[in-house]
Amino acid sequence: MDAVTRSPEDSRRRELGAFLRSRRERLSPADIGIATGARRRTPGLRREEVAMIAGVGTTWYTWLEQGRDVRPSVEVLTALCDALRLDTVEKRHLFILAGRQQPERRMLAPEKVDGPLLHMLQSLVLQPAYVVGRRWDVLAWNDAAVAVFGDYGLLEGDARNIVHLVFTSPHHRRLLVDWEERARVVLASFRAESAKYVGDPDFERLIALMMRSSPEFRDWWPRRDVARKLTGVKHLRHPSVGAMAFEHMSLSIDDGSDMRLIVYTPLAEQNSIAKLKKLLDAQPAERRSA
């Protein structure tokens, strides 16, 4: 007989149930302070014990493990994560299997670019690159980025922010050949990525500053356009070497943060590679990126 064909949704529910069962069976009652007798045969926790700890019905939890069509809420999934002592990776996996978006926790600690990422950034000798944080503040950069875009080390606070630079920096406005088109894309992409931080004081402060500082931002922000453009070609007009063309890409840092690595690769167009080398050769030998 042919194997039973299951829908992707049915397979996902079965995998969710199997994952929950595997996490339940690896825990011992002693892990959660439950006293047991010598005759206990169930490996790990019993279903009713998990249900009790999570505050859900035993029958409902049993259906969930059996892969039935039950739809746990975000709150219930969070309670199950706590009951089963899931770590960060396991929590994410559980929410994906359940088809739910894991609640975002605002990062209170300052954003920090770790050594391995800094080393990779500096290894991109002929590719201008920088790391931006959740609010698109520039956190780290390489020498090639300084040569093309300017020295971020001379900027402080909100001034070292991509949105602020694009809309208020005369240098960036002259640098971008098609400034208005690029500025609209930057703004729409920033709105799309910052949706999870609506109401965040740091974001609200930046937006208020931009509303005061840029007439274009003030005009376009209320339109609520959104976009997600991670790659493309950017044409620049550098004050020293003239026209340049770069292919750019935005790469997520898979560490639970919203940091991104932005990399610009010079194209053969406009002799951009040779011009970048010329800019790098002209930099002072003692210059170092942050």
Side-chain angles (χ1 to χ4, degrees):
M1 294 179 63
D2 293 335
V4 176
T5 301
R6 298 191 179 97
S7 69
E9 183 68 16
D10 185 51
S11 296
R12 184 181 59 77
R13 288 197 300 266
R14 287 175 176 271
E15 182 60 27
L16 171 63
F19 181 67
L20 286 170
R21 184 168 60 254
S22 71
R23 301 304 91 177
R24 171 174 61 83
E25 291 178 349
R26 75 175 181 177
L27 286 175
S28 69
D31 291 334
I32 57 174
I34 295 178
T36 60
R39 298 176 62 87
R40 183 183 179 103
R41 297 179 180 178
T42 303
L45 297 180
R46 296 189 177 103
R47 285 171 175 166
E48 58 266 29
E49 291 168 340
V50 173
M52 177 188 68
I53 297 169
V56 299
T58 300
T59 300
W60 183 90
Y61 178 75
T62 300
W63 288 348
L64 191 61
E65 277 200 10
Q66 291 173 344
R68 297 199 191 186
D69 189 11
V70 293
R71 302 177 185 276
S73 66
V74 170
E75 291 75 17
V76 167
L77 289 172
T78 301
L80 288 173
C81 287
D82 293 338
L84 294 170
R85 305 290 202 271
L86 301 190
D87 63 23
T88 300
V89 176
E90 291 169 329
K91 288 178 183 178
R92 182 174 181 271
H93 188 65
L94 179 65
F95 272 83
I96 291 173
L97 290 176
R100 297 287 189 181
Q101 181 69 38
Q102 188 173 357
E104 295 286 347
R105 292 185 178 179
R106 182 167 181 256
M107 297 171 59
L108 299 179
E111 293 171 309
K112 181 178 182 295
V113 181
D114 291 329
L117 181 54
L118 285 174
H119 298 156
M120 185 183 73
L121 187 64
Q122 296 306 323
S123 73
L124 300 173
V125 178
L126 288 178
Q127 290 174 290
Y130 49 79
V131 177
V132 297
R134 58 183 176 269
R135 205 187 67 150
W136 289 22
D137 297 310
V138 181
L139 305 176
W141 55 92
N142 63 10
D143 291 337
V146 173
V148 174
F149 299 110
D151 191 350
Y152 296 106
L154 301 178
L155 306 174
E156 295 182 356
D158 294 329
R160 197 190 292 174
N161 175 276
I162 295 298
V163 178
H164 190 279
L165 283 167
V166 169
F167 279 90
T168 69
S169 167
H171 169 70
H172 275 70
R173 188 180 287 252
R174 291 190 299 266
L175 192 64
L176 295 171
V177 172
D178 46 357
W179 180 85
E180 180 171 338
E181 178 184 347
R182 292 297 170 187
R184 287 181 182 272
V185 170
V186 165
L187 188 60
S189 300
F190 175 74
R191 180 183 280 283
E193 290 195 19
S194 64
K196 69 183 72 173
Y197 291 105
V198 169
D200 183 287
D202 288 337
F203 278 80
E204 295 298 318
R205 181 173 54 77
L206 175 64
I207 293 167
L209 172 63
M210 297 308 304
M211 293 289 281
R212 297 192 303 269
S213 305
S214 168
E216 292 90 354
F217 187 99
R218 191 161 52 246
D219 181 33
W220 300 342
W221 183 254
R223 300 182 188 186
R224 289 177 167 77
D225 294 331
V226 292
R228 184 172 175 79
K229 192 171 181 61
L230 303 180
T231 62
V233 175
K234 185 169 292 186
H235 294 275
L236 305 179
R237 188 185 299 106
H238 195 277
S240 298
V241 297
M244 302 179 75
F246 293 86
E247 187 175 57
H248 65 89
M249 176 172 288
S250 174
L251 305 170
S252 297
I253 309 301
D254 191 16
D255 62 353
S257 72
D258 277 343
M259 291 193 298
R260 289 181 177 275
L261 173 65
I262 316 298
V263 181
Y264 291 81
T265 302
L267 302 177
E269 181 183 347
Q270 305 289 356
N271 203 23
S272 302
I273 300 174
K275 289 179 178 178
L276 177 58
K277 291 179 179 179
K278 181 179 180 180
L279 290 173
L280 288 169
D281 289 342
Q283 284 188 331
E286 67 275 9
R287 181 185 293 279
R288 294 292 183 269
S289 300

